[in-house]
Amino acid sequence: QVQLVESGGGLVQAGGSLRLSCATSGSIFSPHTMGWYRQAPGKLRELVASITSGGATTYTDSVKGRFTISVGNARNTVYLQMNRLRPEDTAIYYCNLVIRSFRETTYWGQGTQVTVSS
C-alpha cells in the first residue's frame, strides 16, 4: 500500500509563491503518473498538473507559465512550485499517484490547504 504525504500549503498574498511537496512511502518501479489536483469550495476537483515517469508534463491552462511540477532526485517526491499566485488558486490541493502495472491503481494524499489573499 502506497501512502502519499503532502506538505507546503498555507496562506500567501496574491503574487506570492508556495511550493507543495508530496512524498511517497517508497520507490515506484512501474510506469506511473504523479499529479496535483485542487478543489475549491462548491467546485469539482480539477487536475492542476501531472508528470509521468517518463517526464512528460501536463498543466491546466490557468496555471501555465506560473506553476511547475517536478520530481526529486530519488523520484519518490513530487513538487508543485506555484508562482504569481492568484485568489482564484485558493483550494485544497491533493497529490495523486496512478500506477500502471498489470492493473491501474490510484492513490490520493490527504490534501493541503492553499489560501491566496487579495
Side-chain angles (χ1 to χ4, degrees):
Q1 184 75 7
V2 176
Q3 291 185 323
L4 306 178
V5 179
E6 300 150 344
S7 60
L11 172 64
V12 65
Q13 288 189 330
S17 299
L18 283 174
R19 189 174 83 153
L20 304 182
S21 301
C22 174
T24 65
S25 55
S27 298
I28 301 163
F29 300 101
S30 299
H32 60 276
T33 299
M34 296 193 75
W36 290 93
Y37 286 71
R38 66 186 179 188
Q39 188 166 19
K43 295 189 176 181
L44 297 175
R45 189 174 297 189
E46 65 170 351
L47 173 67
V48 177
S50 66
I51 184 166
T52 70
S53 46
T57 58
T58 301
Y59 297 92
T60 192
D61 286 346
S62 63
V63 308
K64 286 180 181 177
R66 300 189 298 124
F67 292 9
T68 303
I69 190 169
S70 62
V71 294
N73 290 335
R75 307 198 65 80
N76 63 346
T77 302
V78 63
Y79 303 99
L80 185 68
Q81 178 66 43
M82 304 185 293
N83 299 327
R84 292 184 282 141
L85 282 159
R86 305 167 180 168
E88 55 264 38
D89 295 317
T90 296
I92 299 175
Y93 284 69
Y94 296 91
C95 181
N96 169 269
L97 168 64
V98 178
I99 299 175
R100 297 180 295 277
S101 56
F102 64 94
R103 65 176 181 177
E104 189 172 282
T105 306
T106 300
Y107 300 92
W108 291 95
Q110 78 282 3
T112 185
Q113 177 71 48
V114 171
T115 303
V116 184
S117 63
S118 58

